Amino acid sequence: MLPIERQNRIKELIKIKHHLKISELSEELGVSEMTVHRDLKPLLDEGIIMKTFGGITLVRQQPVQKPSTDECVICSRPVTERLAYRLILPNNEIEMACCAHCGLMRHRQLGDQVVQAICHDFFRQTTISAPFTSFVMDTSVHVGCCQPQVLTFEVREEAEKFVKGFGGSVYSLDEAMEIVFDKMHHGSECGCKE
């Protein structure tokens, strides 16, 4: 089977299943996992799929007709209020992400279509507008969601104090979106549940 034929088969499978493991694709296509990774590169570049932990997931290009508020738009994990990232789109459509990691990825995908993005302060549990949020990454504290983990703070000084105690770095919205994107598309794999 030629690479283009394998890529077309991967497209068919991902549209049906939404999530696939690399090992499943290797077995299905009768090629090594390394060959599967090479075949995935064009699909990643086109934005059809994205990496997850040990596999891939379908990128939803259009918002679902009735957005689910209990399932992440990126990784399909259940959404809990304390980590949720809301994307408000034109016509008052709302997309929910399970955490800032998935929220930043979807925010970057949608770009100017996002009217407003809202997340929760890690300490206070109050809602904050994403453009005014300080995003903390690479900290030693784990909250049990997607990787690379992203924590959100309303007050930059609090984020910086947190980093002094638990490590990591503080970023603005635009910086955080690019760093998560780079980590996801240049070798790192997402810790999103399959």
Side-chain angles (χ1 to χ4, degrees), residues 8-45:
N8 287 334
R9 181 68 181 137
I10 292 168
K11 285 180 190 178
E12 291 171 10
L13 291 169
I14 197 70
K15 285 178 183 174
I16 294 167
K17 293 188 174 185
H18 301 281
H19 307 283
L20 292 166
K21 292 182 179 180
I22 299 298
S23 57
E24 289 176 320
L25 286 170
S26 173
E27 189 176 314
E28 170 75 25
L29 300 171
V31 295
S32 71
E33 290 186 13
M34 188 54 96
T35 299
V36 170
H37 282 287
R38 281 193 296 272
D39 289 342
L40 294 177
K41 177 91 173 81
L43 304 179
L44 287 164
D45 292 343

Side-chain angles (χ1 to χ4, degrees), residues 108-151:
R108 187 179 186 281
Q109 285 175 347
L110 294 171
D112 292 340
Q113 293 178 53
V114 177
V115 175
Q116 173 68 294
I118 299 168
C119 49
H120 290 82
D121 183 272
F122 183 69
F123 284 144
R124 302 175 187 178
Q125 289 306 303
T126 55
T127 56
I128 46 179
S129 177
F132 302 107
T133 299
S134 294
F135 296 87
V136 172
M137 288 188 239
D138 303 317
T139 178
S140 62
V141 173
H142 295 284
V143 294
C145 211
C146 303
Q147 298 291 330
Q149 179 176 265
V150 182
L151 304 179

Side-chain angles (χ1 to χ4, degrees), residues 144-186:
C145 211
C146 303
Q147 298 291 330
Q149 179 176 265
V150 182
L151 304 179
T152 53
F153 294 83
E154 182 176 20
V155 180
R156 185 170 184 93
E157 291 77 23
E158 289 178 2
E160 290 168 350
K161 284 180 185 176
F162 184 86
V163 164
K164 282 183 183 175
F166 299 100
S169 300
V170 182
Y171 301 101
S172 69
L173 173 63
D174 291 335
E175 292 169 332
M177 278 194 283
E178 291 309 310
I179 289 168
V180 169
F181 176 80
D182 287 344
K183 286 184 179 198
M184 294 307 300
H185 289 88
H186 296 108

Side-chain angles (χ1 to χ4, degrees), residues 3 6 50 64 72 95 101 149 180-181 189:
R6 291 192 302 267
M50 73 158 105
V64 271
C72 180
E95 288 191 2
H101 164 98
Q149 179 176 265
V180 169
F181 176 80
E189 289 190 347

Side-chain angles (χ1 to χ4, degrees), residues 97-113:
C98 62
C99 61
H101 164 98
C102 288
L104 290 167
M105 289 183 5
R106 185 63 174 154
H107 197 149
R108 187 179 186 281
Q109 285 175 347
L110 294 171
D112 292 340
Q113 293 178 53

